[in-house]
Structures are given as structure tokens and as C-alpha cells.
Amino acid sequence: MKTGCMGTFSLINRMKRCLYPRWKVIKNHPVPGFKPLLLLLVLLLGMMLLPGCFGMANVPKGWSGVVVVDEVLFVFSMEGKLVADNVTDGSRLWEVQLVESQSSGGLLGCAPASAAVAVYGSPAVSGNITYIGGYTGKVYALVFNRDEPRWVYPREGYLGAAIVGGLVVHQDEVYLATSDGMVMALNAADGYREWVCDEIGDKVWSTPVIEGNTLFIGSFDNKLYAIDINDGSKRWEFETEGAIVATPLVYDNTVYFGSFDRHIYAVDITSGEQVWKFPSSEEDEIIPGNWFWSKPVIYNGVLYAACLDGKVYVIDATSGRSTAGVDYYDLGSSISSSPVVVGDLVIVASEEGIVYALDTGDYQKRQLANLEEKIQAPLAAAQGMVFVHTAKDVLHTIDTETGAVRSFTLSNE
Amino acid sequence: MAIGDIWDLIILSPMINVLIVVSHYLGGSFGLTIIFLTIVIRALMYPLTMKQLKATKAMQSMQAQMQELQKKYSKDRQQLAQERMKLMKETGVNPFGCVLPLLIQFPVWIALYQSIIRVLAVAPEDFLNLSSGWEMVFSQVPLESTFLWLDLAAPDRFMILPILVGGTMWVQQKMTTTTSADPRQQAQSQMMLWMMPLMFAFLTMQFPSGLALYWVTSNIIQIVMQYFVTGWGGLRPSADGKKVPAEKKSTGRAVKEKAPLSADDISADIVETSPAREEELDYGNN
């Protein structure tokens, strides 16, 4: 059998000999209108293939953040691989490839029958088990250094709804939310479902947060929910005027979160009553210009909330008003990645790829690194370093003191 | 600029913006917005559609002449084809007429599919990109994805829309179908009468129901327009209530069923001949 170029030409010639007589028949078909009708059928078939073949199916890739536990960092690559690296020297300790059996884009043939799992939330680690929620609706419990999962949920098939937020492990249970508005608790050891809360009115993309016996989570129905983790019953709900995608932050008996209505809210965790709202009225001088997508951080009683309008708003956590030092930092580019605190610095990354250090002492903004890659995944920090997973599936480690950058490609070269 | 960026700039972003703004004025109902968009697109295509419908009506009127030609050139398929094309040219009928409106709508279908995925928050990356648009646009999203029994971002799980899409398309095709004395043309008409509706019904089961809603609305508008131009056409029963029979039974074969194929016989079915045999035949038009 001929190979390489000769083989290709031979195949083309054979196809020509096979197709040409048929083309002649079609060309000379006695029935008028036959050719346009045949063209129409071919175009319809093309339309069925188009979404997969030309990337119009918008295959989700994910933007997993990094988790650091005991000198090991865990991150999920955009090729569906859970990776565990040594924090100090970046050496690969373990990796496992996850594959889903249903295609996530395209209709006929162009999208593969099996595809890499897309993950948007950060992994959750407890002991030697890492928990991952896949976009197609499956939870995986992976044991360190093993290829096969300890368990998956559901055992067969998929949940029928995407998991976009991250998972949380708390007291031997794994908590997650799905895009059909379900919040559920699974037994961390064996994956059996403990309870499910179906009182949420719309899809959930945010990661749950747990404080005491209460789980807090936002939804596309404009509400923040407080759910009892013992039985999944709703304790209270708080309504805003926009969808809530940002992961909430709990601090000092108050839950802080941002909304698509361009406000930051502080709500009492026990009563569900509003403590304050920023800005407090439309007459305020400072009005955020876009959605709050990422989780805020708090340092020294001051809340730092990053917004898609490119600004990090600095708010007194008690009063809800701008601080005396600075109203906001303008990064000039949308911010969808959640910031982190390292020492007395708030590290934040803009979508265009620039990582900044905001000094909480003198209110100065300093460029730490320009990675020149899109950043949407949440940041992580450990041992004075910041971990950034970019949209090109590269993991960057930045030293916050020196600004030195180390980069590791997570995808196969 | 990449092709995708050009597509986004010229087609997709404007469509998304229009959908969101219209949805705002229609009480936030994305389903009504899709119906409104369909009406607007059909209105823009009105001149082309009318031309196509008139051509269809002309085809129906010249059936008697077609049958005359069929009788006269029954033994000479090639001459028959030529005479038919000549008659169509003289009467201004274009065999591409029925295809062009569908071809023009292809980019609309693709853009609508992508718009639905974005504004209804299906994939996080696409939805996040909406935040960089006009303030009036991103302040409205995500849009309400439910309409009647449908989740507009997902296929209809009750299978009602596939039936509606296939059914309305069948009615539309049937209204334009003309009975023909030529058994081959009759066979082809029958094939298109069923194949197109079945294909679209199958597509409806795969794609978001928002896109299927567009197809149903578009088909209904077409049926109404067709009725006023061509009447019920092939849907109309005969005077005694029975279907109007074809003048000849369609057997797909020549009258002398057992006559062997000759070198001059160009009526061979594509499937039935072998490549070697086809190469030997002279089809004329060289």
C-alpha cells in the first residue's frame, strides 16, 4: 500500500474515477431542478456538521483555579487532566486524564465521541482525595497517585446539568451546585447523595461557602441562599436586582458578595438582613460600571471587590463606604479572576494578563508581571507565591517579592 | 482579522444586541423575541419569497405544456430535458427558485444558534464575553430561557416541536408539489416531500428549541403567503374527494420493462449502474 504523498495522490485518483461518472450523471440528469435540490441536501448536511466542525458549538474548556495543600498544588488542565505538582520545584508528582463519553459540541462526527472533561471550579482536596466537578455534570473523587476514581457521581450517566462552580469539602461531605438550580451534599467517602435542595429558582454557577452549619450560595434568580448543611433545608434567602455568580465571602458574621446589579452586599449570616449595600444609592459618586463576577477578599477590615469594569473597589467592611485612602484601583481591563491576599498585598489579575499587587498600606498599585495571556481562573497563593492558570492552559508561579515568574504548560505539546 | 472575528462583528454581535433590546421591550420574553425576529426576517425576504411563489405558481400552470412535451419526447430523455429547460426560460421559471430563500437563511440559523447559546448563559466563556458589550445589553442578560413548555437553550424534551417543524414543512412542501406525468419527476417530488421535513425534524431534536421555534414560525408564515399566491396547491383534494392521480403510474422504468439497456439509454438510475458501464455511455453534452 502506498504511503505518504504518493498514497494520497493515489487515493485522490481512485476517488475521482469513482465519483466522476456519477458527477456526469448528476450533471446531465434529465429532471430539471435536480442539481439544486441535491445541493440543498448537501448544504443541510453541512449545517448539521457545522457546529462541531467549525468550532461554532463553543466547546467549553473550563478555567480551573489552583489549590495548594501541603506543598502540593492541584489544578485541572483544559485538556481534562488533573495535575499535581511540587510547589517548590514544580516537578510533576501525579497526573490523571479524565475523559467523558459524550461529546460536548457538534452533531455528527466532527466532535469526537469522547472528549476531555471541562472544569470551571477549583479542585477540592481532603486527605489524599481530590474532588472535581465536570461541566457535563459528573463528580469525580480521585485518589492521589491512582488512575481510576474512587467514586463518581452519578454512577451511570450524567446529572443532566452542568457543574460550573467549585466543590467544597466539609466534615466528610462534598457540597456542590448545578446549573439546574440543585444544591446537593454527597458522602465524601463513597459518593452517595445525602440530600438535595431544589428550592433554588434558577441556575447556579457560583461555588458554595460554608460557615458553621450554613451553606451560602448565589443563583441566577438574583438571590443569595442560606441552606442548612444537615438536611438541605433553606434558612433564608436575600434578593438583589441582578444574577449572583460570584462566590460569597464570609467574615465576622457577615456574608459579602457581588451581584450583576453592580452592587456589593453585606448580609447578616444569621438573620439574612442587609447590613449595607455599595453603592448605597444611585446618587453616590462611585457607581460600578459592570457585573461583579469574582469573589471579594478582606484584609484588615477592608473589602476589595474586583469588577468587570476593570476596577477594584475598596470598601470599609463595617460601614460599606469607601475608605479614606482610595476609592478604587483602575486596572484598565476587565477583572473576572478572584484576587488573593499575600501578606499585606492584594494580588489581582486583569483579563488582559497583567498581575498587580495592591499595597494595602500606602494604597499604591504595582505591576507584578505581564503574562500576556488571558486570565479568568481564580488566583491562588501559598508560601509568598501566586499561582495563575491562564486561558492558554499555562500555569504561572509569581514570586510576590521579586516578581520572578516560572511557567509550566499543562497541555500536551 | 480572523473570519470568526469578522463574523462576530458583522453578524453575531448585531443579532445579539437586537435580540436583547427587543426582549427588553417584549417583557423579557425571549420566545416572543424569536418570533418577532422571524417575522422581521421574513418581511425582509418578502420580495424574494414572492418571486419564488410566483415561479411555483407558473410551474403549476405549465403542467399541461410539460405533459405535452413528455408525450412528444418520451423516447428522447435528453431532448425532453432541453425542451423543459427552454420552456422554463420562456416562462421565467427558475429551478433554483426554491433553494435560494433557504440558502439565504443559513447564516441566520447559525447566528441565531450562537446567539441563543450566549444570551441564555449556556457556556460560561461565551456569557462572560457579553459583559463587554453595550450597557443596555449586558444589564438585561441573562434572558429568561423558558417559553411556554420550552427551555429555549435545550431541545424540546416533549418532542412537540420536532413534530411541528416536520409537519409544517410537509404542508409547505405539499402545497408546492405538482403532479407530473414524468415518473422520475414525480418520484423526486415525493422524495423531497418527505425527506426535507424528516431531516428538519431530526435537526430539531438536536438543536436548542429556540432555533426550532424560529423554524416553526417561519414555516407558518410561508404557508400563509403560499396560500394567498398559489392556493392550497397539492393539498387540495379532487372534486370527488379523492387525491388527484398522476396520469401515469410511476414505476421508474420504461414501458417495455424487460427491454435491455442500450448504449443510448441515459435514463439509468445512478445507483443501478456500475462505474465501468457509465464510463462507456455517451451522455451527449461533451
Side-chain angles (χ1 to χ4, degrees):
Chain A
M1 182 178 165
K2 293 176 187 173
T3 58
C5 290
M6 291 305 294
T8 306
F9 287 132
S10 169
L11 179 62
I12 290 172
N13 286 332
R14 275 159 50 192
M15 284 171 66
K16 272 187 190 171
R17 281 198 297 275
C18 182
L19 292 173
Y20 181 65
R22 284 161 175 76
W23 166 245
K24 284 185 77 176
V25 173
I26 293 166
K27 190 176 160 200
N28 301 312
H29 202 282
V31 178
F34 181 81
K35 280 176 284 185
L37 288 170
L38 189 66
L39 173 66
L40 177 64
L41 284 176
V42 170
L43 284 172
L44 278 174
L45 271 177
M47 189 194 153
M48 288 156 69
L49 294 173
L50 265 176
C53 291
F54 293 95
M56 293 181 186
N58 305 310
V59 178
K61 290 185 179 175
W63 51 52
S64 162
V66 173
V67 164
V68 179
V69 176
D70 296 335
E71 306 248 337
V72 180
L73 71 86
F74 298 84
V75 64
F76 205 83
S77 80
M78 292 173 187
E79 288 190 345
K81 204 166 39 177
L82 176 65
V83 164
D85 285 351
N86 184 295
V87 167
T88 310
D89 58 17
S91 57
R92 184 63 46 91
L93 300 174
W94 169 54
E95 65 178 45
V96 59
Q97 179 76 48
L98 296 181
V99 171
E100 59 190 17
S101 59
Q102 60 184 38
S103 66
S104 51
L107 183 58
L108 294 176
C110 277
S114 63
V117 175
V119 169
Y120 289 91
S122 302
V125 181
S126 177
N128 66 339
I129 302 179
T130 306
Y131 303 90
I132 293 279
Y135 179 74
T136 47
K138 206 165 186 87
V139 180
Y140 303 83
L142 302 162
V143 181
F144 192 81
N145 267 336
R146 285 196 209 159
D147 289 344
E148 290 301 313
R150 180 166 177 167
W151 54 259
V152 294
Y153 179 83
R155 301 275 186 266
E156 302 286 338
Y158 297 83
L159 283 170
I163 301 172
V164 178
L167 274 53
V168 169
V169 184
H170 179 75
Q171 292 179 351
D172 300 326
E173 291 197 350
V174 178
Y175 300 89
L176 65 133
T178 62
S179 64
D180 60 355
M182 300 290 169
V183 177
M184 58 186 76
L186 309 177
N187 186 294
D190 52 27
Y192 280 95
R193 196 175 72 191
E194 303 284 349
W195 54 256
V196 61
C197 172
D198 59 0
E199 296 194 59
I200 297 184
D202 206 334
K203 57 166 64 79
V204 177
W205 278 9
S206 72
T207 301
V209 164
I210 294 177
E211 177 72 15
N213 287 331
T214 309
L215 179 150
F216 301 94
I217 195 156
S219 166
F220 270 74
D221 67 357
N222 305 350
K223 295 177 185 169
L224 181 83
Y225 291 85
I227 295 169
D228 189 325
I229 63 170
N230 295 311
D231 56 10
S233 59
K234 184 178 72 176
R235 288 208 168 139
W236 52 259
E237 63 183 46
F238 179 84
E239 186 166 7
T240 68
E241 292 179 33
I244 302 169
V245 166
T247 300
L249 167 74
V250 179
Y251 174 81
D252 197 19
N253 293 321
T254 306
V255 56
Y256 303 89
F257 61 96
S259 167
F260 277 18
D261 65 5
R262 294 177 265 176
H263 288 80
I264 295 285
Y265 292 87
V267 173
D268 184 276
I269 64 171
T270 308
S271 64
E273 297 295 323
Q274 178 178 306
V275 176
W276 53 256
K277 177 171 93 170
F278 174 88
S280 57
S281 70
E282 297 306 319
E283 284 76 38
D284 274 2
E285 287 179 5
I286 301 165
I287 305 290
N290 210 314
W291 303 334
F292 283 98
W293 184 274
S294 59
K295 178 181 179 179
V297 292
I298 281 186
Y299 179 77
N300 222 9
V302 177
L303 185 83
Y304 297 83
C307 183
L308 290 182
D309 65 1
K311 298 186 173 84
V312 179
Y313 292 90
V314 183
I315 307 162
D316 183 279
T318 307
S319 65
R321 299 190 178 281
S322 295
T323 62
V326 63
D327 296 328
Y328 57 82
Y329 297 91
D330 190 348
L331 305 192
S333 167
S334 186
I335 309 166
S336 52
S337 162
S338 298
V340 287
V341 176
V342 178
D344 60 354
L345 299 174
V346 172
I347 310 298
V348 61
S350 66
E351 265 196 20
E352 67 178 356
I354 302 177
V355 181
Y356 295 90
L358 309 178
D359 194 314
T360 59
D362 58 12
Y363 304 110
Q364 295 299 311
K365 177 182 78 179
R366 170 167 65 96
Q367 180 175 312
L368 208 54
N370 185 352
L371 304 177
E372 296 181 346
E373 296 170 16
K374 196 171 193 179
I375 301 173
Q376 291 174 314
L379 305 182
Q383 300 177 6
M385 289 185 287
V386 173
F387 303 92
V388 185
H389 181 200
T390 65
K392 286 192 178 174
D393 211 15
V394 176
L395 177 64
H396 301 273
T397 307
I398 307 171
D399 189 311
T400 53
E401 284 189 12
T402 64
V405 180
R406 277 189 316 184
S407 305
F408 309 96
T409 301
L410 296 177
S411 54
N412 293 328
E413 303 204 24
Chain B
M1 232 179 176
I3 292 179
D5 293 334
I6 296 172
W7 168 264
D8 268 6
L9 184 66
I10 296 175
I11 307 284
L12 187 57
S13 292
M15 177 175 271
I16 288 174
N17 293 337
V18 165
L19 285 172
I20 292 172
V21 169
V22 170
S23 174
H24 172 69
Y25 289 107
L26 288 177
S29 171
F30 193 52
L32 288 179
T33 304
I34 291 174
I35 292 171
F36 175 81
L37 174 77
T38 315
I39 293 170
V40 167
I41 289 172
R42 294 306 302 221
L44 290 172
M45 288 175 53
Y46 178 79
L48 187 64
T49 308
M50 286 308 292
K51 200 172 166 185
Q52 177 225 329
L53 289 175
K54 283 174 183 168
T56 303
K57 189 172 179 184
M59 279 281 285
Q60 289 171 344
S61 335
M62 67 184 191
Q63 281 306 304
Q65 291 161 289
M66 286 285 196
Q67 285 165 18
E68 284 292 324
L69 289 175
Q70 172 72 22
K71 282 180 194 168
K72 193 174 172 186
Y73 298 104
S74 59
K75 302 261 185 208
D76 187 347
R77 291 285 174 186
Q78 191 172 344
Q79 190 63 27
L80 174 63
Q82 286 175 356
E83 291 299 323
R84 276 187 175 146
M85 290 306 298
K86 195 173 154 189
L87 177 62
M88 282 187 182
K89 272 187 191 165
E90 284 166 5
T91 50
V93 173
N94 184 356
F96 279 96
C98 67
V99 176
L100 205 53
L102 277 177
L103 284 179
I104 290 172
Q105 289 190 77
F106 270 172
V108 174
W109 295 345
I110 294 169
L112 184 59
Y113 169 83
Q114 292 183 307
S115 300
I116 289 169
I117 297 296
R118 288 193 186 190
V119 303
L120 296 184
V122 175
E125 290 98 331
D126 292 332
F127 184 67
L128 187 53
N129 286 339
L130 289 180
S131 66
S132 57
W134 294 343
E135 182 174 329
M136 188 187 182
V137 165
F138 70 72
S139 64
Q140 301 297 322
V141 291
L143 298 181
E144 176 61 47
S145 63
T146 52
F147 178 67
L148 302 177
W149 72 93
L150 300 167
D151 176 359
L152 296 171
D156 179 8
R157 55 198 170 102
F158 296 111
M159 302 299 283
I160 296 173
L161 269 186
I163 295 170
L164 282 176
V165 166
T168 51
M169 185 154 282
W170 185 88
V171 167
Q172 185 188 322
Q173 298 272 89
K174 186 71 177 170
M175 286 169 75
T176 57
T177 300
T178 54
T179 50
S180 169
D182 181 5
R184 290 196 176 278
Q185 193 163 5
Q186 185 68 15
Q188 180 205 318
S189 296
Q190 286 299 309
M191 181 182 77
M192 291 311 299
L193 177 65
W194 289 100
M195 183 167 286
M196 288 272 287
L198 285 174
M199 192 176 289
F200 271 83
F202 175 72
L203 287 176
T204 305
M205 291 192 284
Q206 313 292 329
F207 284 120
S209 53
L211 189 57
L213 182 62
Y214 174 91
W215 284 337
V216 170
T217 310
S218 182
N219 289 345
I220 291 172
I221 293 172
Q222 177 79 7
I223 288 169
V224 170
M225 288 172 70
Q226 256 174 238
Y227 171 74
F228 284 107
V229 175
T230 64
W232 288 117
L235 267 180
R236 189 186 327 117
S238 62
D240 59 1
K242 293 181 185 175
K243 284 185 185 174
V244 179
E247 289 195 5
K248 284 188 182 178
K249 284 186 183 177
S250 172
T251 62
R253 289 178 176 273
V255 173
K256 294 182 183 175
E257 291 184 2
K258 295 196 177 171
L261 295 174
S262 69
D264 296 327
D265 192 334
I266 61 168
S267 65
D269 190 292
I270 296 169
V271 177
E272 293 172 356
T273 58
S274 66
R277 178 71 182 137
E278 286 168 355
E279 282 175 356
E280 292 173 6
L281 295 174
D282 177 18
Y283 288 105
N285 286 353
N286 291 325

